[in-house]
Amino acid sequence: MKKVLFLLFISTKFFAQDTIQISKKDLESRIEGQNLSVKLANDEVNSAQAGLLQTRAIYLPNVTASYTGTATNSPLMAFGTKLNQSRITMMDFDPEQLNNPDNIFNFATKLEVQQPIFNKDAIYQKKAGEVKVDVLKIKAERTKEYLQFDLNKAYLQLQMAYKVVKVLEEAKNTTLANKKVIDNYYKNGMIQKSEVLYMNVRVSEIESQIQYAKSNVRNASDYLYFLLNEDSENKVFKPIDEFFYQENILEQNPKLNGNRKDLQAYEKSLEAYDYMMKSADAKFLPKLNAFGSFELNDNKVYEFNGNGYLVGLQLSWNVFDGYKAKSEKEVYKADLSKAQTEIQQYQKQNQLELNKSYRQVLDADNKVSLTKLSWDQSAEAYRIRKNRYDQGLEKSSDLLSAETQMSQKKLEYQQAIFEYNSALEYFKFLR
């Protein structure tokens, strides 16, 4: 009795939820803008693009402004400070004054500009950064492709869950119809009570299976809400699209598609290593930079009597850096070789996975045919036993066994369709 009340409570709770009918097309239109995995992939792209903005420093000037106050009685600094302040007089050339100057205050306002002109190593580093952004964009596209596959599979699971509920409900109706006949037979003293009890057990089993199937409906619905990044409380999805066998003709010996986004990303990433090696070589090329400053000096705060400027060009070479740049290049070469090996390994692994997936589709397709045949045979066996039972030629236990067998085979057939459709979706994703 407690079990029946519990099942009744759970069943009432299930149907008390808001049932929202939805098609796969509707999900596809909503998921890309809401899914957290896509958002994370896009955030990685945005972060890399923001980091790439730092490379503008190889073209744009660096401008700084400062205001500095100092005090000194150093002979050299004191004379130079007064000279910058435009306050030198003949008295300042007195040897005694030069050797023992009074304390000198200086308040300097300075504007400095550094303008890169030619820094080839930084240019190559910028190109490597641009490649990184492109790679992340391609990976984001592959994330969307995986999301599409995950969505298709999740929708199939939802369809399958509802299909199981439907099949079990039909089995329950058939069992209840048979139970009504058996109950009448028992009332008329035509059968023993054990057969009635046996039928009651079967009804309880189906009700338990139905409840389990409804839990799977909720689980599949919750996962779709997770993909959508939406709250699933007191809501459950119901698919509009029909659950059916997606017949598809596959070409033999499928080959891995070289244009797959993840493979493109791997190949594209090799360009970054090439640019980093060129950057290491370019560190020995001359660098040309311009610089300039304008300065205001005075011995009083907020007064600016003395001023002067300085401009210049600097051409520099890194003649020897202790093999630092050469070592960096060797590291990049080793990383490039490693990446190339990883790509080869990844391609072979995915070709193996594609071959395996191809065989799984064929096996699942064969299973669909076999389970359909078994279901048809069990349905015919049940029909024959039902006719014989109605004529008093079969026991109720035999009828119940045939009905259970038919229901089980129908579920196996639906499960086979789900496995085939899922295998086909995975093959398409790998292809």
PDB file of all heavy atoms in Angstrom, residues 280-307:
ATOM      1  N   ALA A 280      62.870  35.090 -32.818  1.00  0.00           N
ATOM      2  CA  ALA A 280      64.153  34.834 -32.148  1.00  0.00           C
ATOM      3  C   ALA A 280      65.329  35.221 -33.043  1.00  0.00           C
ATOM      4  O   ALA A 280      66.316  35.814 -32.581  1.00  0.00           O
ATOM      5  CB  ALA A 280      64.250  33.370 -31.742  1.00  0.00           C
ATOM      6  N   ASP A 281      65.230  34.904 -34.345  1.00  0.00           N
ATOM      7  CA  ASP A 281      66.294  35.303 -35.282  1.00  0.00           C
ATOM      8  C   ASP A 281      66.365  36.814 -35.431  1.00  0.00           C
ATOM      9  O   ASP A 281      67.453  37.398 -35.547  1.00  0.00           O
ATOM     10  CB  ASP A 281      66.036  34.671 -36.661  1.00  0.00           C
ATOM     11  CG  ASP A 281      66.310  33.178 -36.675  1.00  0.00           C
ATOM     12  OD1 ASP A 281      67.113  32.712 -35.836  1.00  0.00           O
ATOM     13  OD2 ASP A 281      65.713  32.471 -37.505  1.00  0.00           O
ATOM     14  N   ALA A 282      65.196  37.467 -35.428  1.00  0.00           N
ATOM     15  CA  ALA A 282      65.144  38.915 -35.653  1.00  0.00           C
ATOM     16  C   ALA A 282      65.715  39.713 -34.488  1.00  0.00           C
ATOM     17  O   ALA A 282      65.948  40.920 -34.636  1.00  0.00           O
ATOM     18  CB  ALA A 282      63.703  39.349 -35.925  1.00  0.00           C
ATOM     19  N   LYS A 283      65.952  39.076 -33.356  1.00  0.00           N
ATOM     20  CA  LYS A 283      66.528  39.792 -32.219  1.00  0.00           C
ATOM     21  C   LYS A 283      67.955  40.248 -32.504  1.00  0.00           C
ATOM     22  O   LYS A 283      68.486  41.117 -31.803  1.00  0.00           O
ATOM     23  CB  LYS A 283      66.481  38.928 -30.965  1.00  0.00           C
ATOM     24  CG  LYS A 283      65.073  38.746 -30.418  1.00  0.00           C
ATOM     25  CD  LYS A 283      65.052  37.952 -29.138  1.00  0.00           C
ATOM     26  CE  LYS A 283      63.625  37.847 -28.599  1.00  0.00           C
ATOM     27  NZ  LYS A 283      63.558  37.076 -27.339  1.00  0.00           N
ATOM     28  N   PHE A 284      68.583  39.678 -33.524  1.00  0.00           N
ATOM     29  CA  PHE A 284      69.934  40.093 -33.900  1.00  0.00           C
ATOM     30  C   PHE A 284      69.927  41.152 -35.001  1.00  0.00           C
ATOM     31  O   PHE A 284      70.986  41.628 -35.405  1.00  0.00           O
ATOM     32  CB  PHE A 284      70.757  38.879 -34.353  1.00  0.00           C
ATOM     33  CG  PHE A 284      71.032  37.908 -33.252  1.00  0.00           C
ATOM     34  CD1 PHE A 284      70.324  36.724 -33.155  1.00  0.00           C
ATOM     35  CD2 PHE A 284      71.987  38.189 -32.279  1.00  0.00           C
ATOM     36  CE1 PHE A 284      70.576  35.823 -32.139  1.00  0.00           C
ATOM     37  CE2 PHE A 284      72.236  37.294 -31.255  1.00  0.00           C
ATOM     38  CZ  PHE A 284      71.524  36.104 -31.177  1.00  0.00           C
ATOM     39  N   LEU A 285      68.752  41.497 -35.487  1.00  0.00           N
ATOM     40  CA  LEU A 285      68.651  42.577 -36.462  1.00  0.00           C
ATOM     41  C   LEU A 285      68.700  43.922 -35.744  1.00  0.00           C
ATOM     42  O   LEU A 285      68.356  44.024 -34.567  1.00  0.00           O
ATOM     43  CB  LEU A 285      67.334  42.468 -37.243  1.00  0.00           C
ATOM     44  CG  LEU A 285      67.167  41.225 -38.130  1.00  0.00           C
ATOM     45  CD1 LEU A 285      65.778  41.220 -38.763  1.00  0.00           C
ATOM     46  CD2 LEU A 285      68.240  41.179 -39.216  1.00  0.00           C
ATOM     47  N   PRO A 286      69.151  44.984 -36.450  1.00  0.00           N
ATOM     48  CA  PRO A 286      69.194  46.296 -35.800  1.00  0.00           C
ATOM     49  C   PRO A 286      67.807  46.807 -35.466  1.00  0.00           C
ATOM     50  O   PRO A 286      66.829  46.511 -36.156  1.00  0.00           O
ATOM     51  CB  PRO A 286      69.872  47.183 -36.853  1.00  0.00           C
ATOM     52  CG  PRO A 286      69.652  46.494 -38.147  1.00  0.00           C
ATOM     53  CD  PRO A 286      69.660  45.029 -37.837  1.00  0.00           C
ATOM     54  N   LYS A 287      67.724  47.540 -34.371  1.00  0.00           N
ATOM     55  CA  LYS A 287      66.467  48.156 -33.938  1.00  0.00           C
ATOM     56  C   LYS A 287      66.623  49.660 -34.027  1.00  0.00           C
ATOM     57  O   LYS A 287      67.647  50.214 -33.599  1.00  0.00           O
ATOM     58  CB  LYS A 287      66.123  47.746 -32.502  1.00  0.00           C
ATOM     59  CG  LYS A 287      65.886  46.261 -32.301  1.00  0.00           C
ATOM     60  CD  LYS A 287      65.577  45.962 -30.845  1.00  0.00           C
ATOM     61  CE  LYS A 287      65.245  44.492 -30.640  1.00  0.00           C
ATOM     62  NZ  LYS A 287      66.387  43.606 -30.973  1.00  0.00           N
ATOM     63  N   LEU A 288      65.627  50.300 -34.585  1.00  0.00           N
ATOM     64  CA  LEU A 288      65.661  51.755 -34.734  1.00  0.00           C
ATOM     65  C   LEU A 288      64.505  52.351 -33.939  1.00  0.00           C
ATOM     66  O   LEU A 288      63.347  51.987 -34.145  1.00  0.00           O
ATOM     67  CB  LEU A 288      65.547  52.152 -36.205  1.00  0.00           C
ATOM     68  CG  LEU A 288      65.581  53.654 -36.505  1.00  0.00           C
ATOM     69  CD1 LEU A 288      66.916  54.265 -36.069  1.00  0.00           C
ATOM     70  CD2 LEU A 288      65.335  53.901 -37.988  1.00  0.00           C
ATOM     71  N   ASN A 289      64.833  53.253 -33.029  1.00  0.00           N
ATOM     72  CA  ASN A 289      63.829  53.905 -32.193  1.00  0.00           C
ATOM     73  C   ASN A 289      64.150  55.385 -32.063  1.00  0.00           C
ATOM     74  O   ASN A 289      65.326  55.782 -32.022  1.00  0.00           O
ATOM     75  CB  ASN A 289      63.797  53.282 -30.797  1.00  0.00           C
ATOM     76  CG  ASN A 289      63.409  51.820 -30.825  1.00  0.00           C
ATOM     77  OD1 ASN A 289      62.261  51.475 -31.022  1.00  0.00           O
ATOM     78  ND2 ASN A 289      64.400  50.941 -30.651  1.00  0.00           N
ATOM     79  N   ALA A 290      63.128  56.199 -32.012  1.00  0.00           N
ATOM     80  CA  ALA A 290      63.297  57.636 -31.801  1.00  0.00           C
ATOM     81  C   ALA A 290      62.893  57.967 -30.369  1.00  0.00           C
ATOM     82  O   ALA A 290      62.078  57.265 -29.757  1.00  0.00           O
ATOM     83  CB  ALA A 290      62.444  58.422 -32.788  1.00  0.00           C
ATOM     84  N   PHE A 291      63.486  59.036 -29.865  1.00  0.00           N
ATOM     85  CA  PHE A 291      63.139  59.462 -28.510  1.00  0.00           C
ATOM     86  C   PHE A 291      63.213  60.971 -28.435  1.00  0.00           C
ATOM     87  O   PHE A 291      63.900  61.632 -29.229  1.00  0.00           O
ATOM     88  CB  PHE A 291      64.062  58.824 -27.466  1.00  0.00           C
ATOM     89  CG  PHE A 291      65.526  59.140 -27.663  1.00  0.00           C
ATOM     90  CD1 PHE A 291      66.105  60.246 -27.061  1.00  0.00           C
ATOM     91  CD2 PHE A 291      66.320  58.329 -28.466  1.00  0.00           C
ATOM     92  CE1 PHE A 291      67.448  60.543 -27.247  1.00  0.00           C
ATOM     93  CE2 PHE A 291      67.664  58.620 -28.654  1.00  0.00           C
ATOM     94  CZ  PHE A 291      68.238  59.719 -28.041  1.00  0.00           C
ATOM     95  N   GLY A 292      62.536  61.552 -27.496  1.00  0.00           N
ATOM     96  CA  GLY A 292      62.561  62.991 -27.303  1.00  0.00           C
ATOM     97  C   GLY A 292      61.992  63.363 -25.952  1.00  0.00           C
ATOM     98  O   GLY A 292      61.238  62.600 -25.345  1.00  0.00           O
ATOM     99  N   SER A 293      62.410  64.525 -25.469  1.00  0.00           N
ATOM    100  CA  SER A 293      61.891  65.003 -24.183  1.00  0.00           C
ATOM    101  C   SER A 293      61.880  66.527 -24.177  1.00  0.00           C
ATOM    102  O   SER A 293      62.692  67.175 -24.848  1.00  0.00           O
ATOM    103  CB  SER A 293      62.735  64.473 -23.019  1.00  0.00           C
ATOM    104  OG  SER A 293      64.061  64.996 -23.077  1.00  0.00           O
ATOM    105  N   PHE A 294      60.970  67.084 -23.430  1.00  0.00           N
ATOM    106  CA  PHE A 294      60.893  68.531 -23.207  1.00  0.00           C
ATOM    107  C   PHE A 294      60.771  68.750 -21.705  1.00  0.00           C
ATOM    108  O   PHE A 294      59.938  68.116 -21.040  1.00  0.00           O
ATOM    109  CB  PHE A 294      59.692  69.127 -23.933  1.00  0.00           C
ATOM    110  CG  PHE A 294      59.550  70.599 -23.746  1.00  0.00           C
ATOM    111  CD1 PHE A 294      60.393  71.484 -24.404  1.00  0.00           C
ATOM    112  CD2 PHE A 294      58.590  71.117 -22.889  1.00  0.00           C
ATOM    113  CE1 PHE A 294      60.260  72.868 -24.231  1.00  0.00           C
ATOM    114  CE2 PHE A 294      58.463  72.485 -22.695  1.00  0.00           C
ATOM    115  CZ  PHE A 294      59.298  73.363 -23.375  1.00  0.00           C
ATOM    116  N   GLU A 295      61.628  69.675 -21.161  1.00  0.00           N
ATOM    117  CA  GLU A 295      61.722  69.800 -19.714  1.00  0.00           C
ATOM    118  C   GLU A 295      61.618  71.263 -19.299  1.00  0.00           C
ATOM    119  O   GLU A 295      62.185  72.153 -19.955  1.00  0.00           O
ATOM    120  CB  GLU A 295      63.035  69.205 -19.223  1.00  0.00           C
ATOM    121  CG  GLU A 295      63.112  69.033 -17.720  1.00  0.00           C
ATOM    122  CD  GLU A 295      64.326  68.205 -17.308  1.00  0.00           C
ATOM    123  OE1 GLU A 295      65.022  67.686 -18.205  1.00  0.00           O
ATOM    124  OE2 GLU A 295      64.562  68.077 -16.098  1.00  0.00           O
ATOM    125  N   LEU A 296      60.872  71.526 -18.221  1.00  0.00           N
ATOM    126  CA  LEU A 296      60.754  72.844 -17.600  1.00  0.00           C
ATOM    127  C   LEU A 296      61.313  72.752 -16.189  1.00  0.00           C
ATOM    128  O   LEU A 296      60.956  71.853 -15.425  1.00  0.00           O
ATOM    129  CB  LEU A 296      59.294  73.289 -17.562  1.00  0.00           C
ATOM    130  CG  LEU A 296      58.601  73.462 -18.923  1.00  0.00           C
ATOM    131  CD1 LEU A 296      57.101  73.640 -18.734  1.00  0.00           C
ATOM    132  CD2 LEU A 296      59.190  74.662 -19.670  1.00  0.00           C
ATOM    133  N   ASN A 297      62.218  73.701 -15.839  1.00  0.00           N
ATOM    134  CA  ASN A 297      62.862  73.659 -14.527  1.00  0.00           C
ATOM    135  C   ASN A 297      62.765  75.020 -13.846  1.00  0.00           C
ATOM    136  O   ASN A 297      62.866  76.070 -14.502  1.00  0.00           O
ATOM    137  CB  ASN A 297      64.342  73.280 -14.667  1.00  0.00           C
ATOM    138  CG  ASN A 297      64.526  71.878 -15.207  1.00  0.00           C
ATOM    139  OD1 ASN A 297      64.526  70.913 -14.464  1.00  0.00           O
ATOM    140  ND2 ASN A 297      64.697  71.768 -16.530  1.00  0.00           N
ATOM    141  N   ASP A 298      62.612  75.002 -12.505  1.00  0.00           N
ATOM    142  CA  ASP A 298      62.608  76.240 -11.722  1.00  0.00           C
ATOM    143  C   ASP A 298      62.895  75.890 -10.276  1.00  0.00           C
ATOM    144  O   ASP A 298      62.683  74.751  -9.848  1.00  0.00           O
ATOM    145  CB  ASP A 298      61.272  76.968 -11.842  1.00  0.00           C
ATOM    146  CG  ASP A 298      61.419  78.451 -11.541  1.00  0.00           C
ATOM    147  OD1 ASP A 298      61.488  78.800 -10.350  1.00  0.00           O
ATOM    148  OD2 ASP A 298      61.475  79.221 -12.512  1.00  0.00           O
ATOM    149  N   ASN A 299      63.418  76.877  -9.539  1.00  0.00           N
ATOM    150  CA  ASN A 299      63.699  76.639  -8.114  1.00  0.00           C
ATOM    151  C   ASN A 299      62.485  76.907  -7.234  1.00  0.00           C
ATOM    152  O   ASN A 299      62.536  76.765  -6.016  1.00  0.00           O
ATOM    153  CB  ASN A 299      64.879  77.477  -7.641  1.00  0.00           C
ATOM    154  CG  ASN A 299      64.569  78.974  -7.730  1.00  0.00           C
ATOM    155  OD1 ASN A 299      63.731  79.393  -8.529  1.00  0.00           O
ATOM    156  ND2 ASN A 299      65.252  79.768  -6.923  1.00  0.00           N
ATOM    157  N   LYS A 300      61.378  77.281  -7.865  1.00  0.00           N
ATOM    158  CA  LYS A 300      60.142  77.536  -7.137  1.00  0.00           C
ATOM    159  C   LYS A 300      59.024  76.649  -7.701  1.00  0.00           C
ATOM    160  O   LYS A 300      58.972  76.395  -8.913  1.00  0.00           O
ATOM    161  CB  LYS A 300      59.727  79.006  -7.251  1.00  0.00           C
ATOM    162  CG  LYS A 300      60.719  79.958  -6.597  1.00  0.00           C
ATOM    163  CD  LYS A 300      60.263  81.396  -6.734  1.00  0.00           C
ATOM    164  CE  LYS A 300      61.276  82.347  -6.082  1.00  0.00           C
ATOM    165  NZ  LYS A 300      60.852  83.761  -6.230  1.00  0.00           N
ATOM    166  N   VAL A 301      58.166  76.223  -6.797  1.00  0.00           N
ATOM    167  CA  VAL A 301      57.049  75.379  -7.201  1.00  0.00           C
ATOM    168  C   VAL A 301      56.114  76.152  -8.125  1.00  0.00           C
ATOM    169  O   VAL A 301      55.834  77.339  -7.894  1.00  0.00           O
ATOM    170  CB  VAL A 301      56.281  74.874  -5.957  1.00  0.00           C
ATOM    171  CG1 VAL A 301      55.128  73.960  -6.373  1.00  0.00           C
ATOM    172  CG2 VAL A 301      57.225  74.156  -5.006  1.00  0.00           C
ATOM    173  N   TYR A 302      55.668  75.512  -9.157  1.00  0.00           N
ATOM    174  CA  TYR A 302      54.689  76.071 -10.087  1.00  0.00           C
ATOM    175  C   TYR A 302      55.225  77.256 -10.884  1.00  0.00           C
ATOM    176  O   TYR A 302      54.448  78.064 -11.388  1.00  0.00           O
ATOM    177  CB  TYR A 302      53.393  76.469  -9.380  1.00  0.00           C
ATOM    178  CG  TYR A 302      52.792  75.354  -8.554  1.00  0.00           C
ATOM    179  CD1 TYR A 302      52.473  75.552  -7.228  1.00  0.00           C
ATOM    180  CD2 TYR A 302      52.570  74.104  -9.137  1.00  0.00           C
ATOM    181  CE1 TYR A 302      51.930  74.519  -6.475  1.00  0.00           C
ATOM    182  CE2 TYR A 302      52.031  73.076  -8.390  1.00  0.00           C
ATOM    183  CZ  TYR A 302      51.704  73.280  -7.071  1.00  0.00           C
ATOM    184  OH  TYR A 302      51.181  72.263  -6.319  1.00  0.00           O
ATOM    185  N   GLU A 303      56.530  77.359 -10.983  1.00  0.00           N
ATOM    186  CA  GLU A 303      57.121  78.343 -11.900  1.00  0.00           C
ATOM    187  C   GLU A 303      58.015  77.594 -12.865  1.00  0.00           C
ATOM    188  O   GLU A 303      58.680  76.627 -12.486  1.00  0.00           O
ATOM    189  CB  GLU A 303      57.903  79.411 -11.135  1.00  0.00           C
ATOM    190  CG  GLU A 303      57.004  80.333 -10.316  1.00  0.00           C
ATOM    191  CD  GLU A 303      57.758  81.550  -9.793  1.00  0.00           C
ATOM    192  OE1 GLU A 303      58.862  81.828 -10.327  1.00  0.00           O
ATOM    193  OE2 GLU A 303      57.258  82.205  -8.863  1.00  0.00           O
ATOM    194  N   PHE A 304      58.063  78.071 -14.103  1.00  0.00           N
ATOM    195  CA  PHE A 304      58.742  77.306 -15.153  1.00  0.00           C
ATOM    196  C   PHE A 304      59.571  78.260 -16.025  1.00  0.00           C
ATOM    197  O   PHE A 304      59.237  78.527 -17.175  1.00  0.00           O
ATOM    198  CB  PHE A 304      57.712  76.571 -16.026  1.00  0.00           C
ATOM    199  CG  PHE A 304      56.650  75.858 -15.217  1.00  0.00           C
ATOM    200  CD1 PHE A 304      55.401  76.439 -15.030  1.00  0.00           C
ATOM    201  CD2 PHE A 304      56.912  74.628 -14.633  1.00  0.00           C
ATOM    202  CE1 PHE A 304      54.423  75.795 -14.291  1.00  0.00           C
ATOM    203  CE2 PHE A 304      55.937  73.977 -13.897  1.00  0.00           C
ATOM    204  CZ  PHE A 304      54.689  74.562 -13.714  1.00  0.00           C
ATOM    205  N   ASN A 305      60.681  78.742 -15.472  1.00  0.00           N
ATOM    206  CA  ASN A 305      61.495  79.706 -16.207  1.00  0.00           C
ATOM    207  C   ASN A 305      62.420  79.036 -17.204  1.00  0.00           C
ATOM    208  O   ASN A 305      62.576  79.495 -18.332  1.00  0.00           O
ATOM    209  CB  ASN A 305      62.306  80.559 -15.235  1.00  0.00           C
ATOM    210  CG  ASN A 305      61.419  81.504 -14.432  1.00  0.00           C
ATOM    211  OD1 ASN A 305      60.411  81.981 -14.947  1.00  0.00           O
ATOM    212  ND2 ASN A 305      61.759  81.754 -13.178  1.00  0.00           N
ATOM    213  N   GLY A 306      63.087  77.965 -16.786  1.00  0.00           N
ATOM    214  CA  GLY A 306      64.050  77.308 -17.678  1.00  0.00           C
ATOM    215  C   GLY A 306      63.402  76.185 -18.453  1.00  0.00           C
ATOM    216  O   GLY A 306      62.581  75.436 -17.926  1.00  0.00           O
ATOM    217  N   ASN A 307      63.755  76.040 -19.710  1.00  0.00           N
ATOM    218  CA  ASN A 307      63.203  74.944 -20.509  1.00  0.00           C
ATOM    219  C   ASN A 307      64.249  74.479 -21.508  1.00  0.00           C
ATOM    220  O   ASN A 307      65.186  75.212 -21.843  1.00  0.00           O
ATOM    221  CB  ASN A 307      61.920  75.355 -21.224  1.00  0.00           C
ATOM    222  CG  ASN A 307      62.130  76.469 -22.231  1.00  0.00           C
ATOM    223  OD1 ASN A 307      62.613  76.225 -23.323  1.00  0.00           O
ATOM    224  ND2 ASN A 307      61.779  77.709 -21.858  1.00  0.00           N
TER     225      ASN A 307
END
